[in-house]
């Protein structure tokens, strides 16, 4: 059996559920209970009531035969990548090697793997097994919050990520969650280091989930999230140097270091506000409820949505 996100399963023709949006990547999840105990994640050891969820998403079980038939259908429905997400298994990455071999046996789609790995040698083994990209999720930006919400050393995980980025250029991704005690300055300084190292950053907005230690927390303010998305976009496109960003007290971004006209020109297409991460990963409604405020657009923005996002940023910069 393998767990498949509800949206991916619908896109693969495995359920008849009508979804508000369909993914462009097929998301699979390996494992039921994670050795980590992240305070924001339902897969952690202490969160047994909500193990069917990762982020806001449900992950029902399917057989390999169903998956095989579904992948054929998925490619016809516009799926261009497989994302295999994994809990931290007791046996390390070995269960993943078997899964990857099976996936490679039935599909030519590129595979992104999001998993806990212990060193560069494990990354090398996984790339040799056929994965296209590996995400080492940092998740929490502020070092103190990292220790509190994930445990362990953030610097060690960053060293591994940067080491892998050097050894496997253009093949590494990471996940960062905004709204876990970091400032915009901290988020953009880390993003700048990651962009310079060639790591793709998948930005998430924190979602308080029932059954987790942070169930009573709050998502980040949307205007703050938009400023981080915009800063990431400008750094990625090399439209500005991070040294030009200016921050007020508590690390709130107050200037991108470019004129308003140039900022509007760069952000008008709306790409900055779409889901980021591996190529083709759109994660529909991973952070938000359909019909509610959208943090990461899984599709092109409408003209109205582009205007609203841009206005929010411009207005917030004037409220210094
Ligand atoms: S960015 Fe998307 S495809 Fe890449 S590892 Fe994360 S969820 Fe998977």
């Amino acid at each position: 059996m393998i767990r498949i996100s509800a949206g991916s399963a619908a896109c693969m023709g495995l359920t008849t559920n009508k979804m508000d949006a369909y993914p462009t990547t097929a998301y699979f999840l390996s494992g039921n209970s994670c050795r980590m105990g992240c305070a924001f994640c339902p897969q952690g050891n202490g969160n047994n009531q909500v193990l069917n969820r990762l982020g806001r998403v449900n992950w029902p079980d399917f057989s390999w035969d169903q998956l095989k038939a579904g992948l054929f259908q998925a490619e016809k429905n516009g799926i261009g990548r497989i994302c295999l997400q994994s809990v931290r298994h007791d046996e390390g990455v070995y269960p993943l090697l078997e899964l990857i071999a099976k996936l490679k046996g039935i599909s030519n789609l590129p595979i992104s793997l999001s998993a806990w790995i212990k060193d560069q040698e494990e990354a090398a083994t996984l790339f040799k097994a056929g994965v296209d990209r590996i995400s080492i999720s940092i998740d929490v930006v502020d070092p103190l919050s990292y220790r509190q919400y994930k445990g362990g050393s953030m610097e060690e995980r960053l060293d591994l990520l940067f080491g892998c980025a050097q050894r496997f250029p253009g093949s590494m991704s990471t996940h960062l969650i905004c709204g876990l005690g970091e400032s915009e300055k901290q988020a953009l300084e880390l993003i700048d280091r990651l962009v310079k190292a060639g790591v793709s950053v998948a930005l998430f907005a924190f979602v308080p989930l029932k059954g987790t230690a942070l169930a009573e927390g709050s998502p980040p303010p949307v205007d703050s999230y938009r400023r981080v998305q915009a800063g990431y976009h400008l750094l990625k496109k090399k439209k500005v140097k991070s040294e030009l960003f200016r921050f007020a007290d508590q690390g709130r971004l107050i200037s991108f270091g470019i004129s308003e006209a140039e900022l509007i020109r760069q952000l008008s297409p709306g790409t900055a506000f779409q889901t980021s991460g591996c190529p083709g990963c759109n994660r529909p409604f991973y952070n938000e409820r359909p019909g509610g405020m959208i943090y990461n657009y899984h599709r092109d923005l409408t003209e109205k949505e582009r205007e609203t996002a841009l206005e929010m940023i411009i207005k917030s910069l004037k409220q210094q």
Side-chain angles (χ1 to χ4, degrees):
M1 300 297 276
I2 183 150
R3 301 170 72 188
I4 302 179
S5 81
S8 306
C11 193
M12 292 163 73
L14 299 177
T15 66
T16 51
N17 295 343
K18 282 261 171 290
M19 307 304 289
D20 290 280
Y22 291 91
T24 47
T25 288
Y27 300 96
F28 304 150
L29 177 59
S30 158
N32 281 308
S33 181
C34 183
R35 272 188 62 196
M36 306 288 286
C38 300
F40 48 85
C41 180
Q43 298 297 314
N45 281 334
N47 302 321
N48 293 330
Q49 318 114 325
V50 281
L51 282 174
N52 60 336
R53 306 197 91 173
L54 182 64
R56 283 193 63 256
V57 175
N58 279 321
W59 301 79
D61 277 318
F62 292 91
S63 71
W64 275 93
D65 283 346
Q66 287 174 300
L67 180 137
K68 188 173 172 180
L71 267 181
F72 182 69
Q73 183 61 35
E75 286 189 53
K76 288 205 257 168
N77 288 349
I79 293 277
R81 174 171 292 271
I82 291 170
C83 173
L84 177 59
Q85 309 201 15
S86 177
V87 301
R88 185 173 170 190
H89 290 282
D90 286 336
E91 309 86 348
V93 297
Y94 291 102
L96 297 176
L97 294 174
E98 201 185 315
L99 286 181
I100 293 160
K102 275 171 128 173
L103 287 171
K104 297 294 295 176
I106 57 177
S107 172
N108 289 323
L109 290 173
I111 301 173
S112 288
L113 173 71
S114 178
W116 195 94
I117 58 169
K118 78 171 185 303
D119 55 25
Q120 287 189 25
E121 292 321 305
E122 283 195 342
T125 305
L126 291 160
F127 280 124
K128 205 166 156 205
V131 301
D132 175 58
R133 303 186 64 86
I134 297 177
S135 170
I136 298 176
S137 291
I138 299 299
D139 296 320
V140 186
V141 171
D142 170 62
L144 288 178
S145 305
Y146 185 99
R147 200 166 278 282
Q148 187 183 354
Y149 298 146
K150 277 186 74 109
S153 160
M154 179 177 176
E155 275 316 307
E156 271 176 31
R157 298 311 289 166
L158 280 173
D159 283 351
L160 176 59
L161 176 57
F162 286 122
C164 286
Q166 210 168 22
R167 182 163 164 190
F168 311 105
S171 300
M172 298 304 297
S173 299
T174 191
H175 294 179
L176 297 183
I177 305 171
C178 293
L180 289 175
E182 79 293 339
S183 67
E184 291 163 39
K185 184 170 191 281
Q186 283 179 303
L188 285 166
E189 281 174 355
L190 179 55
I191 288 170
D192 185 45
R193 288 173 66 197
L194 292 162
V195 167
K196 284 177 177 151
V199 177
S200 284
V201 178
L203 275 184
F204 292 75
F206 166 65
V207 186
L209 292 170
K210 220 168 118 190
T212 65
L214 289 175
E216 302 304 320
S218 306
V222 182
D223 65 312
S224 172
Y225 193 71
R226 292 280 180 255
R227 288 190 291 276
V228 174
Q229 283 179 307
Y232 173 32
H233 180 78
L234 294 171
L235 292 171
K236 196 166 51 178
K237 297 284 171 203
K238 297 194 175 22
K239 298 298 176 190
V240 66
K241 287 204 180 338
S242 60
E243 299 75 34
L244 294 177
F245 288 168
R246 283 200 298 117
F247 300 92
D249 292 347
Q250 291 159 359
R252 178 181 180 278
L253 189 131
I254 53 169
S255 170
F256 291 98
I258 53 176
S259 68
E260 187 176 308
E262 179 60 7
L263 187 63
I264 292 172
R265 204 169 74 78
Q266 292 303 331
L267 300 182
S268 287
T271 328
F273 313 114
Q274 288 183 242
T275 305
S276 55
C278 299
C281 172
N282 69 340
R283 306 191 296 276
F285 301 116
Y286 216 90
N287 285 184
E288 51 272 305
R289 285 192 170 75
M293 172 56 74
I294 297 184
Y295 284 86
N296 292 327
Y297 285 91
H298 55 275
R299 50 160 172 79
D300 289 344
L301 280 72
T302 63
E303 199 178 329
K304 177 93 184 81
E305 288 165 343
R306 286 200 302 268
E307 277 172 20
T308 306
L310 203 49
E311 264 171 32
M312 186 181 278
I313 289 187
I314 305 280
K315 211 161 128 196
S316 76
L317 294 178
K318 288 179 178 156
Q319 291 166 347
Q320 299 182 21

